[in-house]
Amino acid sequence: MPVEPGVLGSFAEPAAAARAVRALRAGGFADVRVAMPAPFPEVVAAIGKPRSLIDFITFPGAIVGLLCGIALTVGTSLAWPLVTGGKPIVSVPPFVIVIFEVTVLIGSLTNLLAMSAGTWHGGRARFFPAHQKFNADRIGVFAVGGEPARAERLLRESGAEEVGRVG
Amino acid sequence: MTDPSEKALGRRTFLRIAGALGVVAGCSPKAATQKVIPFLVPPDDIVPGTPLYYRTVCRECPAGCGVTARTREGRAVKLEGNPEDPIGRGALCARGQAGIQALYAPDRFKGPMRRGADGRLAPVGWDEAEDALSKALVAAREKGPGAIRMVTRPEPGSAGAFQEAFMRAVGGAAEDRLVLDPFDPAPLRAAGEALFSRTEIPVYDLTRARSIVSFGADFLETWLSPVEYARQLAEGRGRVGEDRTRLTWVSPRLSLTGYSADGWLRARAGGELAVALGLLRWLADPANGVPGLAPEARALFPRLAALDPAELSRRAGVPWAGIERLGRELALRRPSALLGPGQSSQGPDATQLAAVIMLLNVALGNLWQTVYYGLDPQEDPPSPFAEVESLVADMAAGRVQVLLVHHADPAGTLPAALRAGEALGKVPLVVSFGDRPDPTTSRAHLVLPDHHALEAWGDVTPRLGVVNLCQPAMTPLADTRAAGQVLLEVGAKLPFPAAHFPWPDFYDYTQTRAQMYAMVALGKFPDLMAIQRDALQRGGYWSYQLPARKEMPDLLRGAAERFLSLPPSPPPEGGDLDLVVFPTVLRGDGRGADLPWRREVPDTVSSLSWIPWAELSPATARRLGVATGDRVSVTTSAGRAELQAYVYPGLRDDAVALPLGGPEALAVLPPVRDGGSGAIAFRSARAAVARAGRGKPLPILEGSPYQHGREIVRTVSAAAPALRRPDLSHLMYREPEHPTHRWGMAIDLDRCTGCQACVVACFAENNVPVMGPEAASQGRYMGWIRMERYLGDEPGGELEVNLLPMLCQQCTNAPCEPVCPVYATYHTAEGLNAQVYNRCVGTRYCSNNCPYKVRTFNWRDAQFPKPLQMQLNPDVTVRSKGVMEKCTFCVQRIRYAENQARDEGRPVRDGEIVPACAQTCPAQAIAFGDLHDPGSRVSRLAGEKRGFGALEELNTRPAITYLARVREKEEP
Amino acid sequence: MSLSFERLQATVRATHGRPGRGYWILLSLSAALAAWGGWAYSLIVRNGLVLTGLERPGGWGNLITDFVFWVGIAHSGTLISAILFLFRAKFRTAVYRVAEMMTVFAVMTAGLYPIFHLGRPWFAYWLFPYPNERGIWVNFRSPLIWDVFAISTYFIVSTVFLLVGVAPDAAALRDGATGWRRKLYGLLAFGWRGTDEQWRHYTRAYLFFAAFATPLVVSVHSVVSWDFAVSILPGWHSTLFPPYFVAGAILSGVAMVIVILVPLRRWLHLEEIITPHHLDMLSRLVLLTSLIVTYSYSTEILTALGEPASDPERSTFLYRMTGDYAPLFWLMVTCNCVGPALLLSGKVRRSIPAIFAISLLVNVGMWLERFNIVVTSLAHDRLPFDWRVYTPTWVEWAMTFGAFGWFFFWFLVGLKVLPPVSIAEMKEDLAHAAHASGEVAHAG
Amino acid sequence: MRVLPAAAASALAGALALLAACRAPPPPEQPIRFSHRIHAGDNHIGCTSCHGYAERGPVAGIPSMARCQGCHKFVKEDQENPAITAEIKALLQKLEDGTAVEWVRVHRVPDHVFFTHERHVLGGVRCQECHGEVERMEVMRQVSPLTMGWCLECHRRKQAEKPLERARLTDCWTCHK
């Protein structure tokens, strides 16, 4: 699948990349994308995308875990009530421990799923022109749509090492 | 011709087949195709999977207790006392319980054998064997009198009578048949002879005695009739205060019997006589004004006055004050019973000791109160030891051509100094009727294996008015024959008309005798047959009662005097320590002492199993540089033995003690006799002890024998009759409820003697595996009950022995339960702590968390070498490796009784459910029942002021209540 | 510091170069050791636990000691990566990857022992709650079931945590790699391309993982401590155990990290990345936790000694200090309390050999600590009549040492496939270091 | 809360039981092709008249050879069915030789299960509930899985009727000792 048409500039410095992003967005480029080896805060800030909404999947996941834990411990104990050590069939303190573990387990597994789902979109080939150096030591800024010429200029101005059109 | 028992019980042969029907627990679960083989003709008294009981007699010792054999699908699986038998009254000792293992012993002879040219025993046909014997007898008879001899254990009944008849028939004199009992209490007989011209063993009724003094007589272990006397002592126990029977133990060593004593007079070995004389002197002394003293005794004082108290106390090794104290007690507490001598005190002056003790009984008026003559049936009493010696001499001199050995082991149970073994080698033909290898059969040329008592007919008369009947509980396992039957058949082959007996077979002989007994009871029943059937079902003919006081034997004139002087003290030679040899419950006289249970179960005193040991007092051990477990050599004038040492505070510093029942003790016994009776003087030698290096790890149970101030086993006294118990009212959880029953147990520590009968019974009932000496030394003993024996509070502190039979406490709040991850153990609705073997994965957490450490783990698969597996109880799973197990209160018995009750549509009766341990306890120290039922015996006991729970401060709420041992302060 | 992205990546990739002879020798040694332990265990399966030195009352011994020890080791990883992540401790970056690898492999080791020590290990699956035809479940009141949950949860979560952290690095390495490595990193990178969209979710998710892992770490060793604490055995039954065990676990874990890092940085030429500063920081952690442990020891002992002479608890602690196992006890004190105390001096902390030696001893000491707790308490229970000394047999030792073989085998394999330091996070740090010092963070 | 998991568990147990029943091995080949249909079915011979111990003990018992003889000394053949006659002849031969027929076992529970017929029969459980419609079986085969879940399912049902006095019905020690 072809990459969406746009202009790609590569930067060596997070600061420069950040500058470029800001310039492009100021220049009316709505869709500016970045690829970088590490989540450089200044760049992330420049892009200014809202915080991930993973919370709203992970947290319920944990709750589900909690409920599973309760169902498992209480339910199975009542399924065949055997008295041990004169303690009640549903003895809360020990169950809490197991419930906690189950909560953590299911919670973090949903977190994993949520993350995979979240990162899938940004990992598609057409989302960003593949270039290995962006996993290594360069930061790629990709302006989608708009006037390519303006994009190139803005990128150069903000100190891109290379600039090229894609798609 | 076939064995009569088979003819009489032909039906039983089918039971073997029935065995295939019952799903026998223990065999590996295979889904593979199994065959089910039906009966040809169904036996009318058998329902597969349900028990069938036969009454018979225990032949492990001469006491002759009646037993009930429980059989399943035609194989005996458990022995229990016969409740109707006046001797045992339903109880059985440890040895009796283990008797069944002799039946299934893997090394039991499969059939008759003959020693070939190569010196090895080879199987041979019965006819051939009997021919050989008869020919030999004919030849031997030519050699004149005394060429044919017989050695037998006491056989007070058909077997004995028939042997006598046989020996007469082959032209033998009465003394050609020798009755051998290594523990023969001959001195008692001799003393009776001398004092009252009654050559009898006295019979005691300890129930009425308020004070008992035993001069080394282990009447709770092996002496005369231990089960009976344990019960009688127990009847005087279990109450606080005046009317509780006091027991004083006079001996250099605190034995198991001594553990039940309230006072221990540490007389030096041989000092018992001095103590007895001292007592007699003090009592007879008019200055002490003892009331109601028999005039005969008073008359003796002039002679007694000659005895110097200082000398007496020196020879006794105890302060005169101690003797006076005891005298005062005896003067106050009437009637009393003075017992002795026993093996450990049977020295060169045993008869004098026996006589003085009897004089004390006379003086205190105990005769016909607690001590009785006229009850010894005098059936087949052991022969005087002189005859044993002359037989050995004759054998050594080659004057004996044929020696018939019947369940006696001269080579293995007599002091080595007698050289009986060598002498046997000089006999051309030694014929053994023994059914298992022992030192004598290993020297036999012809082995004609006898039935086990559980396979044979017969009768035993242990007491006047007591005839206990033997009947087969199962078909013989091997090609064995009743010894009497063999003699009968051999007789028929002999050319002497006298030897052609009128009876078609031995069974008929026993029946003709049975009729004789039946006559007595005639009138109560329409006909003899009915009487005999009834007697067979109940187990015997009993008209036993203590004789009324009238036939009083008066003291022979001048008989007493010659016993009243101290014999010269023996020269201190052979070593610096007195040698004390003592019998133990489990080892007995050595016959059958190799049976797995008898070796696996630890001796209560030393907590050692499997091996013999040498006891030394801590001080002596320190002096010799010996620690528990070291090898020591014990040397006397007679010989040398090397054993591992056990340091034991319950022994005088001037003594070393060895258990009887094995070659070690016999090796060091010098050939000394009791002057009066000629009996073996077990107590005569002095021994030198030296360290001989480090020993292998001991197969010992005890970790620390001290309570370290923890008040685990508690005691009460008249001063403080009630126990302070922790307040456990503040509970975190509601106690689980028990809708139907709450099974519980009460164990009276004031009655418990630590005799280990319960332990062996548990092994038998619950398929508890025997793991061997290595396992024992590694702490992997599998017994569900263990006898915890504490010697006091701190090492070196005051010696106060407390026993605590420890088994699963069936806690209400059991710490073992919540820690099991898989619910393999939990609390049942009837208050039991269930252990489900097939669910257990073996984390061992339950055992770690059990404060009583009563759970045993199967470290490896248990071995039940054939045919021992036939003894396994089909109602109990045989546990596999990796599984935790423990006492279940014999749940299979609980369920059986509940099932019976359901069938009869009635509630379970109190006392109907009896766990194996409670059932066999001679002292009846264990009570079991429903704690919900306020009327039940266990509820009453559990409510007693002496009651306490083990480690109850942990709030485990045990279902077992221990009743504290009563410890009275020494009376002023 | 003048370490460029290039150099960094090169260094890391260099660790994955052709293994030398030394590597192969180590690897085969570990494998052999593991095999030996395995063989020993097969003997137990065939003959039963009769081959161990266990008895009554000593139901637990080496195997349980090993279990607790390895769970302890497993703690460093998540502590360093998760907790320090939340605390934004900078020195974490360089070392946490090794720590995490250690964690995963240590849990893999620890998890074996609960199965090994069973009497009937073939029924180990009964410890997991699964619907079964018998209609019987597991007893959630049993600490051993808490273990099952805690350990398996911990294993899963820390594995996920490790792999998630690896993803970006895998992407970076993938591009340079060839053959099976390329495939492998492709897999581990699971479509990582480092776009802002991905980082947006990734960073957030990573935070949550850290947030989950942190209480988990604390819970896991608390649960392990409850195996003992909830029992009624004198010497086990103690409310002090959870914090005491967690501290001990961290102590042993961090010590193990040091023991591994010191040779590793030399061997893999990571001196530039894992600097003495990092080791200093780690040894401070050792010092801190050792102090907590020391405090716990003294509290335990002092409270016990306060009891009357007849008190079993007191007796047990006296037994530890003076009884059959006393030498082990004092050795333990030397290793866990005296040794780390030296780290108070900066000079010692700066001397890498010293740190190494001390950490090594701490590991010995921590094993002994568990042995002391497990064995002495059992050997000296409430009924003196049952007291008995437990001594491990060669079979148990084989399984104890075999575990090290097993652990190091996986660790060595892991080193060759996973980046031993987090490249991405290092880059982030570098960039800012560079930014701060105004130089350009790349070889121009 | 109580019913849900219990239901789940027993449902699963049921499913597995069914499974077990399905894959139950084919009825084993018996030395003599004895037909329960003819005996119990056509001739209406009651179960316990041959399996005599069922009401008295744990084991129901295989009828003794004498029991077979009881009838077959009269019933020596079947005119219309020679095949049956052959089987009877085989039995009569055995009786003549005084040897027992070695039947192949059909029903079996593991050794750690202590099952007793008596309690069940006296408790009013019909033989067919566990052994199936035996009177219709030409060849004896196992119809019930005889697994723990299967036993338990019935025990639970019965216990629900009288929870208090039947508390023991779900006690492990009822079947495992």
Side-chain angles (χ1 to χ4, degrees), chain B residues 700 703 780 786 819 840 844-845, chain C residues 52 54 59 142 227 385 388:
Chain B
I700 193 166
R780 293 169 178 174
R786 66 175 182 276
V819 298
C840 177
R844 300 183 300 294
Y845 197 170
Chain C
T52 67
L54 298 171
S142 166
D227 286 347
F385 195 80
R388 192 176 278 276

Side-chain angles (χ1 to χ4, degrees), chain A residues 76-77 80 82-88 91 93, chain B residues 733-734 736 812-814 817-818 823 825-827:
Chain A
T76 59
S77 306
W80 192 339
L82 292 168
V83 178
T84 60
K87 306 208 176 349
S91 6
Chain B
Y733 307 112
R734 226 176 67 260
T812 303
N813 302 340
E817 287 166 358
Y823 280 126
T825 180
Y826 72 100
H827 194 72

Side-chain angles (χ1 to χ4, degrees), chain C residues 24-315:
Chain C
W24 288 117
I25 293 174
L26 276 177
L27 194 70
S28 38
L29 273 181
S30 320
L33 204 56
W36 185 47
W39 158 255
Y41 179 56
S42 77
L43 289 176
I44 286 187
V45 174
R46 277 172 283 165
N47 305 310
L49 288 153
V50 65
L51 295 177
T52 67
L54 298 171
E55 20 73 4
R56 188 183 67 195
W60 288 352
N62 263 31
L63 299 185
I64 294 297
T65 307
D66 296 337
F67 166 68
V68 183
F69 175 77
W70 283 107
V71 176
I73 297 298
H75 271 54
S76 58
T78 320
L79 172 98
I80 292 175
S81 70
I83 298 183
L84 297 186
F85 174 80
L86 295 182
F87 288 132
R88 304 278 184 277
K90 278 263 159 286
F91 75 93
R92 154 188 186 272
T93 325
V95 295
Y96 84 89
R97 177 62 47 75
V98 173
E100 279 182 0
M101 281 160 66
M102 229 179 71
T103 296
V104 172
F105 299 133
V107 181
M108 272 168 58
T109 317
L112 296 175
Y113 282 102
I115 299 169
F116 284 168
H117 98 292
L118 288 183
R120 300 202 293 175
W122 44 92
F123 288 131
Y125 64 92
W126 283 355
L127 273 76
F128 291 88
Y130 65 99
N132 59 79
E133 170 275 332
R134 297 177 296 278
I136 186 160
W137 297 79
V138 296
N139 180 4
F140 287 105
R141 296 173 206 87
S142 166
L144 298 184
I145 289 298
W146 311 343
D147 273 343
V148 170
F149 277 80
I151 301 298
S152 37
T153 304
Y154 189 52
F155 177 63
I156 294 168
V157 171
S158 36
T159 314
V160 170
F161 200 37
L162 171 68
L163 292 180
V164 168
V166 162
D169 301 356
L173 294 170
R174 169 191 56 197
D175 305 335
T178 56
W180 64 270
R181 282 188 181 283
R182 194 177 174 78
K183 286 199 189 62
L184 176 71
Y185 293 133
L187 212 65
L188 291 176
F190 64 106
W192 185 263
R193 310 189 51 221
T195 64
D196 57 304
E197 181 63 14
Q198 285 183 313
W199 281 117
R200 191 164 71 99
H201 299 294
Y202 180 89
T203 43
R204 190 70 185 157
Y206 197 81
L207 183 72
F208 282 132
F209 279 124
F212 277 122
T214 307
L216 183 61
V217 170
V218 178
S219 84
V220 168
H221 222 66
S222 306
V223 165
V224 171
S225 82
W226 284 326
D227 286 347
F228 307 101
V230 300
S231 83
I232 62 170
L233 191 69
W236 283 9
H237 181 69
S238 157
T239 47
L240 178 65
F241 267 29
Y244 161 26
F245 266 53
V246 172
I250 296 166
L251 172 58
S252 63
V254 177
M256 186 60 118
V257 174
I258 294 176
V259 169
I260 288 176
L261 279 183
V262 167
L264 203 65
R265 64 192 285 275
R266 162 100 23 94
W267 176 42
L268 298 180
H269 315 292
L270 301 174
E271 286 94 342
E272 280 180 289
I273 301 171
I274 303 165
T275 63
H277 161 75
H278 294 112
L279 297 176
D280 183 350
M281 283 302 171
L282 289 173
S283 47
R284 283 165 200 247
L285 256 179
V286 170
L287 177 58
L288 171 72
T289 44
S290 142
L291 288 175
I292 300 176
V293 167
T294 314
Y295 171 77
S296 312
Y297 290 168
S298 24
T299 326
E300 269 196 321
I301 293 168
L302 291 176
T303 44
L305 293 185
E307 299 294 327
S310 66
D311 179 67
E313 182 103 7
R314 180 176 192 272
S315 164

Side-chain angles (χ1 to χ4, degrees), chain B residues 107-120:
Chain B
D107 59 357
R108 224 183 126 184
F109 298 135
K110 303 281 169 292
M113 290 183 295
R114 178 192 216 155
R115 198 171 295 280
D118 60 353
R120 247 189 250 95

